Amino acid sequence: MTETSALLVSALSEGELIARFTPLLPRGRATLVPTGDDAAVVAAADGRFVVSTDVLVEDHHFRRGWGTARDVGARAAAQNLADVAAMGAVPTSMVVGLVLPPTTPVRWVEDLARGLADVCAPLGVGVDGGDLSAGRQLVVAVTVHGDLEGRDPVLRSGARPGHVLAHAGAIGRAAAGLAVLGPRAEGQDDDGAAAAAVGAFLRPAPPYAAGPAAADAGASAMMDVSDGLLRDAGRLAHASGVEIVLDPLADSVPGDLAALAPVATRLGVAPESWLLTGGEDHGLLATFPEGAELPAGFRRLGAVRAGAPGVVTAPQDAPHAAAVGWDHFRR
Amino acid sequence: MTETSALLVSALSEGELIARFTPLLPRGRATLVPTGDDAAVVAAADGRFVVSTDVLVEDHHFRRGWGTARDVGARAAAQNLADVAAMGAVPTSMVVGLVLPPTTPVRWVEDLARGLADVCAPLGVGVDGGDLSAGRQLVVAVTVHGDLEGRDPVLRSGARPGHVLAHAGAIGRAAAGLAVLGPRAEGQDDDGAAAAAVGAFLRPAPPYAAGPAAADAGASAMMDVSDGLLRDAGRLAHASGVEIVLDPLADSVPGDLAALAPVATRLGVAPESWLLTGGEDHGLLATFPEGAELPAGFRRLGAVRAGAPGVVTAPQDAPHAAAVGWDHFRR
């Protein structure tokens, strides 16, 4: 009998490897022709589809030592599906290209497929196609699709002076988790708060339903926060030609400040830096017209004003953030 | 002034690199929201879309010494768009993920974008999104989409006994070109026939319009030939549960045999091997009901019979092909 945990992908043909993990992948509610032919066919009842693509490269976006292959699959799926939600769409379908060094265990690839399924199956998203190649470095290339269900797409460019800036989902947690993972290599055990932060980094939980809900509530601009609040708010401000002024963090995200405090104290850093510059939580940042009722899950983070286009003014209670060059965020 | 040809991607930020090549990419006739937001929005008037993905890895699928970056981009686009055509769909949209070693010249990335545009722009296909990452090895991950325009998708599984096997596009040319590229490293100049074969490998020209035309003509099964006629016919035979019997090559593809003869003679190989096992021309292999008029561009290659399911019987004039183990093609 073959010992699965020791079997390497180099021992299998492409067809054999595909046969191993295809049964682990979910068919979606929009899947009409699943993976296995030249192409899949996916329903797009709206008459439009939303599409976004990301590449994750080992030692750049993930390290095998940080967590399991299942975590890598779950994170790859989540961060891509967040881009669909950020347009106001409901995710429907995903395709995945893999580059695998010959020394990759077959079990690693199977677990990656399980991680994709962990995120996609509950949302009814199909993993409807893929491709495999050998290569020198692990790469996971994910393309996701979504259905606007009749909504106008919510772009980054619609924020106007007087609008309210709001956010749904976690903030600063993944950055705290990544900070914990560094020293952990030296053998330190995690306490509860640190373990939770690591979990938030390895398995981000974007608020997918908040995207369409924000669109329905009249959001004027939206994006997911992948590179940190300051940087991504700067992109939204730049695209919209407005200035964004952040509220004091003690007013806008007091619960997050308190939750991050134990980990921050242990590592000797200011939790404000994780809240302002930490990415990879893939929460949703949106603006709403003044007076609009924020949909469930969103809390106010600041305000939009004419001011200096593309500029984000840091919160009064994080003055050190003002030392960062804002030009970096004018993208 | 910066010398563009010497500038490496490591000298630019991701935003600066994106700003270099985004203007080189075409917007498509179905592009509603182009690249630049969290996701693109693409029209799918049919209410369904076709999707396929491929990864191309340096030293596995291409070598920088073989041709230009523009060739790599053109080939990446063509081989993916052929998968859309093979479903009977018209290509509409593409997204591209790139993994770039820091030593990649910026000019190489710009030329890759030009190659994508060379193929996509004339077809009205938009390059509607992308992602960049650093990495140790060049990877081009392409996902393509198409519109069935009301047609039923043509799968691999619909061939039935009595149907005719037909093919549109080039066959054996890319394999001949690849065979030429090996010895050329020793400094040999190409004659006309060899140069044409190399061109067919570097810039395959799939018969995109033949896909929807075949669907309209009642094709019962279809796929693109990426791994060679025998192997891919075997996949179609397996999916359909039928046997495929190939006609003598001297009857079915006499022009191709003649065109390949000079290059084959020079390299001391039998041109039949390129015709039967050479891939990467991305022609379309289809079956049609008996008596159906073959659409323009298709010529008969053989017949479908009940026989042994998944088996391809080699042409009588290529008896050496029968020595190949057919199990490899029962996928």
Side-chain angles (χ1 to χ4, degrees), chain A residues 14-15 32-33 36-45 47-55 57 59-61 83 86-87 92-93 95-99 129-137 139 141 143 145 148 153-157 222-224 331, chain B residues 14-15 32-33 36-45 47-55 57 59-61 83 86-87 92-93 95-99 129-137 139 141 143 145 148 153-157 222-224 331:
Chain A
E14 182 178 343
L32 300 174
V33 174
D37 219 287
D38 288 68
V41 183
V42 180
R48 301 165 295 175
F49 64 88
V50 158
V51 57
S52 179
T53 196
D54 262 334
V55 284
V57 180
D59 296 333
H60 290 264
H61 302 93
D83 285 321
M87 300 298 284
T92 54
S93 176
V95 295
V96 182
L98 294 179
V99 180
D131 190 33
L132 291 178
S133 173
R136 290 200 290 277
Q137 188 175 22
V139 177
T143 301
H145 308 89
L148 286 161
V154 184
L155 309 185
R156 299 177 177 183
S157 51
M222 187 154 54
M223 67 185 298
D224 89 307
R331 283 169 54 174
Chain B
E14 182 179 343
L32 300 173
V33 174
D37 219 288
D38 288 66
V41 183
V42 179
R48 302 165 294 175
F49 64 90
V50 158
V51 57
S52 179
T53 196
D54 262 334
V55 284
V57 179
D59 296 334
H60 291 263
H61 302 92
D83 285 320
M87 300 298 284
T92 54
S93 176
V95 296
V96 181
L98 293 179
V99 181
D131 190 34
L132 290 178
S133 173
R136 290 201 289 276
Q137 188 175 23
V139 177
T143 302
H145 308 89
L148 285 161
V154 184
L155 309 185
R156 298 177 178 184
S157 51
M222 188 156 51
M223 67 185 298
D224 89 309
R331 286 167 57 175

Side-chain angles (χ1 to χ4, degrees), chain A residues 165-187:
Chain A
L165 182 76
H167 182 272
I171 186 165
R173 304 295 174 96
L178 184 58
V180 170
L181 280 169
R184 195 173 69 169
E186 295 157 27

